[in-house]
């Protein structure tokens, strides 16, 4: 009897057998209970890292258990294959993005097979494959037809290092999610998906998702950021223009001591035109125009007085109008009422510029005075110095003042969201071309469905700077208008790769279908995903976008579910020496080495037993050896 088992021979033998017998192949079997186990597909970056191994080991063990319990389990895998790194490889090393991507896919697929994951490889998809992105383009057209895709000029997030725009969800603390560069603001015409039309449903349906971690639900809720408040019409004293402000704290209206407009507010120019304040105000506006939202709101509060005044509709009081960095144009109305007694940002601003502070809500346990106030009092309490509302409790005051304002025509109740429409165009080559043509006579013309896919031309030039290779590829750009036949130009932006991943879980149901994105009958059998497993970093990106797409497809009658993922497991990180295992930290343990030295089962057993799946896992070489010894003991016992 040997005392260590020959894992190499065993693994090779059985993996070959599984492949030959196609034992992980699944087919829809109406009547048999199904289980859809899905792990987030990887970006084909080159090699699997330990984070992948953990994610996929968890999914694999769930799939295997379900199969053993008699469920018809679909367990597919694919590739999130469009994206910038491929393009950078082309620029830096002269390898075509397609070549680079497909090579990486081959390597990573071989690694997955070595690890013994039980995927049905016959369902494999790669989003960069024309047979896949044809349907991504079809979905773009579906959204366009339904009024959910539109082109607009807007101040957008621009990553100077990736040389492309980003969606709001892709800006983390003012930086690019991919490369960490500071994001700038630019005024550009771009394509958007109207995810805001689904804000209420995306919010309300979170309640059904009781198989999701509470943390992710809270993150989505905050990201959608619904708030109920009032828009109150102040009036500019000289020009007579209405200045609506959005507030959730109308109970503090008697505490307003100034008004603040965002630097881009359309009234700013008119208010200062021809006055002594004009030059200084416009200089401030110009300076702010270049700063990102983060740079503006995280910096010290800064502003200038416009010289103009506005009237508070409730008490006719005259308050100065300022502009400041901390008010954003794209939230609410781009104007706020300054209440330094009860809003911290306003208090900081008021102290800086010597604006009056007024207490209109009292702290019941400790009486507040305006002069000694060091932190704004933001809680509820009895209202003071508030005209006819004095003595009311602020919570009731909010409702009473909102009604009063509507009754007197001083404003209106309003629901406001933080969520913005999803910016989906990217000025890059390696993505699905947006299927749109611009014609002089017809304007924006969608490419007819029977002309899909709009193929990415292969023979283009990759340069480190300047416009995307598509924009300079004449054969691609020049086309004819599908409507009138006149010479026309193609859209040269490609789609955000998050569009590709917003529907891949549906494509797995019928991955080779050439007539439709997915077979509704198959989707009916397999969907929803019963268990989804992936990283928390997608809490408001992929997971929100996929929910949005599913709802659109539901409304269009293509799917029967309104939510794609029944249960979600967000696995913890793999940590080594106190830091996340990553190339940049130089603390990487390669899955290949572990497999070579100890075998796939050791790698998987260690990863599954070293920590509960949701918790971070501390990598330990002794732990790996321990797992290996344990497997040997099992083997000896059975042998
Ligand atoms: C007066 C006030 C008094 C406020 C007070 C708060 C406390 P949420 O809950 O996130 O919707 N606000 C409105 N528009 C803004 C903008 N464009 N840029 C920056 N701040 C803006 O927040 C609503 C509150 O955010 C509003 O209520 C407004 O400040 C501010 F004691 O109005 B409040
Ligand atoms: Zn970037």
């Amino acid at each position: 009897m040997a005392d260590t088992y020959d894992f190499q021979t065993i693994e090779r033998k059985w993996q070959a057998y599984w492949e030959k017998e196609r034992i992980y192949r699944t087919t829809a079997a109406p009547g048999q209970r199904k289980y859809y186990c899905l792990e987030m597909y990887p970006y084909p970056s080159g090699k699997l890292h330990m984070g992948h191994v953990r994610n996929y080991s968890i999914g694999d063990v769930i799939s295997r258990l379900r199969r053993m319990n008699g469920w018809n389990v679909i367990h597919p895998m694919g590739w999130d294959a469009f994206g910038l790194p491929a393009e950078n490889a082309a620029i830096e090393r002269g390898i075509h993005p397609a070549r680079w991507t497909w090579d990486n896919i081959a390597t990573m697929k071989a690694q997955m097979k070595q690890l013994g994951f039980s995927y049905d490889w016959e369902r494999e998809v790669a989003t960069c494959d024309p047979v896949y992105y044809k349907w991504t383009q079809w979905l773009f057209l579906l959204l366009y037809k339904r009024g959910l895709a539109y082109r607009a000029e807007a101040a957008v997030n621009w990553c100077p290092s990736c040389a492309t725009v980003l969606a709001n969800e892709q800006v983390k603390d003012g930086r690019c999610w991919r490369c960490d560069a500071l994001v700038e603001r630019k005024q550009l015409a771009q394509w958007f998906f109207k995810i805001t039309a689904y804000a209420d449903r995306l919010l309300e349906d979170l309640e059904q998702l009781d198989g999701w971690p509470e943390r992710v639900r809270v993150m989505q809720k905050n990201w959608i950021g619904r708030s109920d408040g009032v828009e109150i019409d102040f009036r500019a004293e000289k020009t007579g223009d209405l200045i609506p402000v959005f507030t959730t704290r109308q109970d503090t209206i008697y505490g307003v001591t100034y008004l603040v407009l965002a630097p881009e507010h359309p009234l700013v120019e008119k208010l200062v035109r021809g006055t002594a304040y004009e030059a200084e105000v416009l200089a401030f506006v110009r300076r702010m125009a270049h700063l990102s939202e983060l740079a503006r709101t995280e910096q010290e509060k800064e502003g200038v007085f416009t010289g103009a005044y506005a009237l508070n509709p409730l008490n006719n009081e005259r308050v100065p109008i300022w502009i400041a960095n901390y008010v954003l144009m794209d939230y609410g109305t781009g104007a706020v009422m300054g209440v330094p007694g009860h809003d911290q940002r306003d208090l900081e601003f008021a102290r800086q510029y010597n604006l009056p502070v007024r207490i209109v809500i009292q702290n019941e346990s400790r009486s507040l005075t305006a002069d000694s106030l060091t932190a704004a009092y933001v809680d509820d309490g009895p209202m003071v110095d508030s005209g006819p509302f004095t003595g009311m409790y602020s919570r009731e005051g909010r409702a009473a003042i909102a009604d009063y304002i509507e009754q007197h025509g001083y404003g209106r109740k309003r629901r406001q969201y933080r969520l913005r429409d999803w910016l989906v165009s990217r000025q890059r080559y390696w993505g699905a071309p947006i299927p749109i043509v611009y014609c002089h006579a017809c304007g924006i013309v969608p490419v007819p469905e029977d002309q899909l896919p709009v193929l990415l031309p292969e023979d283009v030039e990759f340069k480190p700077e300047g416009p995307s290779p598509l924009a300079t590829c004449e054969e691609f750009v020049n086309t004819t208008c599908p409507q009138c036949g006149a010479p026309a130009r193609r859209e040269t932006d490609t789609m955000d790769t998050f569009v590709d991943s917003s529907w891949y879980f549906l494509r797995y149901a019928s991955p080779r279908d050439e007539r439709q994105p997915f077979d509704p009958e198959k989707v009916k059998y397999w969907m929803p995903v019963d268990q989804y497993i992936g990283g928390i970093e997608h809490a408001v990106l992929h997971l929100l976008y996929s929910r949005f797409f599913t709802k659109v497809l539901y409304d269009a009658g293509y799917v029967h579910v309104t939510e794609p993922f029944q249960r979600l497991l967000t696995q913890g990180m793999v940590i080594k020496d106190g830091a996340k295992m990553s190339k940049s930290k130089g603390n990487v343990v390669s899955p290949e080495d572990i497999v070579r030295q100890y075998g796939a089962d050791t790698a998987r057993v260690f990863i599954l037993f070293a920590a509960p799946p949701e918790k971070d896992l501390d990598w330990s070489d002794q732990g790996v050896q321990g797992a290996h010894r344990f497997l040997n003991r099992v083997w000896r016992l059975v042998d």
Side-chain angles (χ1 to χ4, degrees):
M1 186 177 87
D3 34 77
T4 60
Y5 78 113
D6 180 1
F7 55 84
Q8 276 170 356
T9 309
I10 293 174
E11 287 175 10
R12 225 174 289 133
K13 172 182 161 182
W14 288 105
Q15 285 167 14
Y17 176 82
W18 298 340
E19 182 135 357
K20 190 165 120 274
E21 299 294 320
R22 300 157 98 187
I23 68 164
Y24 299 120
R25 191 160 72 126
T26 359
T27 46
Q32 195 193 347
R33 58 191 183 163
K34 65 90 186 180
Y35 194 85
Y36 191 165
C37 183
L38 183 65
E39 297 120 49
M40 289 181 184
Y41 66 172
Y43 176 75
S45 52
K47 286 193 165 178
L48 289 186
H49 55 64
M50 234 18 118
H52 291 129
V53 178
R54 187 171 191 204
N55 187 173
Y56 304 152
S57 295
I58 295 168
D60 200 53
V61 83
I62 294 173
S63 300
R64 285 174 186 273
L65 177 70
R66 289 283 168 174
R67 260 184 227 113
M68 289 189 278
N69 283 335
W71 298 67
N72 189 20
V73 176
I74 185 174
H75 188 213
M77 183 42 77
W79 311 97
D80 186 13
F82 273 137
L84 260 184
E87 213 164 325
N88 292 338
I91 294 166
E92 284 156 24
R93 281 173 280 159
I95 311 169
H96 195 277
R99 170 76 201 290
W100 185 85
T101 304
W102 287 110
D103 283 353
N104 287 348
I105 287 176
T107 311
M108 290 169 78
K109 186 172 170 180
Q111 282 187 294
M112 286 186 186
K113 288 189 172 178
Q114 257 180 22
L115 278 155
F117 297 138
S118 61
Y119 297 124
D120 178 358
W121 284 109
E122 290 171 44
R123 294 183 185 272
E124 178 181 7
V125 303
T127 56
C128 67
D129 193 333
V131 303
Y132 184 92
Y133 73 69
K134 168 178 179 173
W135 301 111
T136 305
Q137 293 173 337
W138 181 91
L139 282 157
F140 180 97
L141 295 176
L142 178 75
L143 267 79
Y144 184 78
K145 270 188 286 194
R146 298 181 70 80
L148 294 170
Y150 65 92
R151 197 172 124 97
E153 183 165 320
V156 298
N157 306 304
W158 172 264
C159 173
S161 119
C162 296
T164 185
V165 299
L166 301 169
N168 278 2
E169 287 80 4
Q170 292 162 350
V171 181
K172 294 264 153 74
D173 299 329
R175 293 175 179 276
C176 169
W177 70 291
R178 228 190 47 76
C179 75
D180 248 16
L182 265 183
V183 167
E184 297 167 1
R185 304 285 281 172
K186 265 199 181 185
Q187 198 71 23
L188 288 171
Q190 299 288 317
W191 283 94
F192 292 86
F193 285 163
K194 210 187 255 174
I195 191 171
T196 53
Y198 284 73
D200 283 324
R201 284 162 70 189
L202 288 167
L203 178 68
E204 283 154 18
D205 289 355
L206 284 173
E207 286 189 20
Q208 298 170 24
L209 301 179
D210 50 12
W212 283 38
E214 186 55 20
R215 180 154 80 116
V216 176
R217 292 201 284 173
V218 168
M219 284 166 84
Q220 292 213 356
K221 177 169 184 260
N222 291 340
W223 185 260
I224 296 164
R226 183 161 91 182
S227 56
D228 287 305
V230 182
E231 217 176 85
I232 306 175
D233 295 331
F234 281 66
R235 189 180 291 280
E237 187 186 45
K238 283 232 178 67
T239 64
D241 288 292
L242 286 186
I243 309 177
V245 302
F246 174 72
T247 179
T248 47
R249 293 298 306 273
Q250 57 277 12
D251 51 320
T252 64
I253 179 94
Y254 289 86
V256 177
T257 57
Y258 62 97
L259 225 60
V260 206
L261 310 186
E264 302 86 352
H265 195 287
L267 272 182
V268 170
E269 245 193 274
K270 184 169 174 192
L271 291 175
V272 298
R273 196 175 300 142
T275 72
Y277 296 88
E278 184 169 8
E280 192 194 355
V281 167
L282 296 185
F284 180 78
V285 170
R286 269 193 302 276
R287 188 152 62 81
M288 289 300 134
H290 299 292
L291 294 180
S292 74
E293 202 164 287
L294 175 88
R296 270 198 219 177
T297 50
E298 302 277 281
Q299 270 173 1
E300 224 174 285
K301 310 264 169 311
E302 200 188 340
V304 282
F305 178 42
T306 62
Y309 288 83
L311 298 176
N312 181 336
L314 267 83
N315 57 8
N316 267 314
E317 208 173 80
R318 189 171 173 262
V319 291
I321 305 175
W322 286 65
I323 58 176
N325 59 350
Y326 72 101
V327 175
L328 309 170
M329 191 57 225
D330 67 358
Y331 191 75
T333 61
V336 303
M337 55 188 216
V339 187
H342 304 285
D343 183 285
Q344 188 55 32
R345 293 166 304 176
D346 294 345
L347 182 64
E348 286 165 28
F349 191 73
R351 292 294 188 220
Q352 179 133 338
Y353 294 101
N354 278 316
L355 292 157
V357 177
R358 201 178 287 168
I359 305 289
V360 290
I361 294 172
Q362 261 304 348
N363 182 343
E364 283 168 293
S365 51
R366 194 174 54 86
S367 183
L368 306 164
T369 61
D371 292 342
S372 66
L373 199 68
T374 49
Y377 181 67
V378 299
D379 294 331
D380 283 312
M383 294 167 63
V384 296
D385 294 329
S386 292
F389 302 96
T390 303
M392 242 183 216
Y393 202 74
S394 55
R395 212 173 295 128
E396 293 123 67
R398 271 201 285 288
I401 291 181
D403 289 339
Y404 182 87
I405 284 171
E406 276 202 335
Q407 280 153 18
H408 289 76
Y410 296 153
R412 58 218 67 84
K413 292 179 192 167
R414 171 161 166 191
R415 182 167 267 185
Q416 169 69 35
Y417 302 85
R418 238 180 64 93
L419 183 69
R420 292 283 160 269
D421 280 341
W422 174 12
L423 199 176
V424 295
S425 38
R426 295 290 178 276
Q427 291 70 50
R428 306 301 310 193
Y429 166 79
W430 194 233
I434 292 177
I436 289 288
V437 165
Y438 300 99
C439 166
H440 264 305
C442 309
I444 294 178
V445 182
V447 174
E449 274 170 35
D450 60 8
Q451 291 174 27
L452 298 182
V454 174
L455 282 175
L456 268 181
E458 276 181 30
D459 192 14
V460 295
E461 232 189 304
F462 296 97
K463 286 181 286 189
E465 267 150 53
S468 121
L470 280 188
T472 53
C473 174
E474 292 298 319
E475 304 89 273
F476 177 80
V477 174
N478 296 318
T479 183
T480 51
C481 171
Q483 251 166 49
C484 74
R489 295 176 70 77
R490 280 192 195 285
E491 169 64 66
T492 58
D493 283 353
T494 55
M495 280 184 252
D496 181 2
T497 56
F498 281 98
V499 179
D500 310 330
S501 53
S502 293
W503 72 282
Y504 79 110
F505 46 91
L506 297 169
R507 183 70 181 167
Y508 284 139
S510 57
R512 308 286 165 258
D513 204 322
E514 286 180 8
R515 295 162 319 162
Q516 51 193 351
F518 49 83
D519 179 340
E521 283 306 308
K522 300 271 165 57
V523 160
K524 194 157 187 188
Y525 177 72
W526 291 117
M527 284 294 286
V529 170
D530 294 275
Q531 179 67 61
Y532 200 22
I533 306 142
I536 185 82
E537 64 275 17
H538 291 295
V540 290
L541 287 156
H542 165 60
L543 290 169
L544 189 66
Y545 297 148
S546 300
R547 295 182 60 222
F548 165 56
F549 260 51
T550 302
K551 289 177 194 305
V552 172
L553 286 165
Y554 174 85
D555 289 351
Y558 289 100
V559 300
H560 66 293
V561 290
T562 54
E563 287 291 337
F565 313 127
Q566 189 112 60
R567 289 170 54 83
L568 172 70
L569 189 159
T570 50
Q571 86 273 1
M573 286 187 295
V574 181
I575 307 279
K576 184 159 185 281
D577 310 325
K580 180 182 176 177
M581 204 184 260
S582 76
K583 255 194 228 154
S584 59
K585 301 257 162 40
N587 59 356
V588 169
V589 176
S590 124
E592 272 181 328
D593 290 348
I594 298 294
V595 170
R596 197 174 312 119
Q597 218 178 330
Y598 302 102
D601 285 314
T602 294
R604 296 159 48 121
V605 161
F606 167 70
I607 276 203
L608 291 169
F609 284 82
E614 298 87 355
K615 294 275 157 56
D616 286 351
L617 179 158
D618 237 322
W619 186 268
S620 132
D621 294 329
Q622 290 90 323
V624 176
Q625 287 153 16
H628 191 58
R629 276 196 305 272
F630 169 76
L631 287 177
N632 273 307
R633 213 172 301 139
V634 173
W635 187 82
R636 282 196 301 270
L637 185 70
V638 175
D639 195 50

